[in-house]
Amino acid sequence: MTTATATQSELLEKYLRDSHVLNLATCVNNRPSNRDVFYLMPDEFTNYIYITTPRNSNKMAEIEANPYVSFTTVPTDDDNGL
């Protein structure tokens, strides 16, 4: 796949499969919290990624309190992230 012929979806999938770290942002009671986390993707490309964390982590409590989160990927030498 080359950049000239790849669709946006193909580029996104390639990037997400090549990287496994992202910065997850949560917010509860107007207090933001950002952290780098590892993630997994299913074999078939979907709209889901899976973040690995212990069930009793602060980020899980924050997500349960406010499910609206955002993330950015961690840039590599080959790109600027997504």
Side-chain angles (χ1 to χ4, degrees):
M1 167 176 28
T2 64
T3 304
T5 60
T7 67
Q8 216 171 9
S9 179
E10 290 169 330
L11 290 172
L12 176 61
E13 179 178 4
K14 180 184 182 326
Y15 183 85
L16 290 174
R17 291 204 185 280
D18 289 348
S19 178
H20 292 286
V21 178
L22 58 82
N23 183 273
L24 178 70
T26 59
C27 187
V28 176
N29 297 325
N30 293 322
R31 296 190 71 133
S33 180
N34 291 352
R35 79 273 287 158
D36 290 335
V37 296
F38 291 101
Y39 68 88
L40 305 169
M41 289 184 53
D43 289 338
E44 187 171 322
F45 187 56
T46 66
N47 290 332
Y48 296 96
I49 57 174
Y50 299 93
I51 295 172
T52 58
T53 190
R55 289 183 188 269
N56 61 350
S57 70
N58 288 340
K59 68 180 118 351
M60 285 301 298
E62 292 167 4
I63 292 169
E64 288 173 358
N66 179 0
Y68 296 98
V69 302
S70 66
F71 74 88
T72 184
T73 56
V74 178
T76 67
D77 291 339
D78 297 329
D79 57 55
N80 293 321
L82 298 171

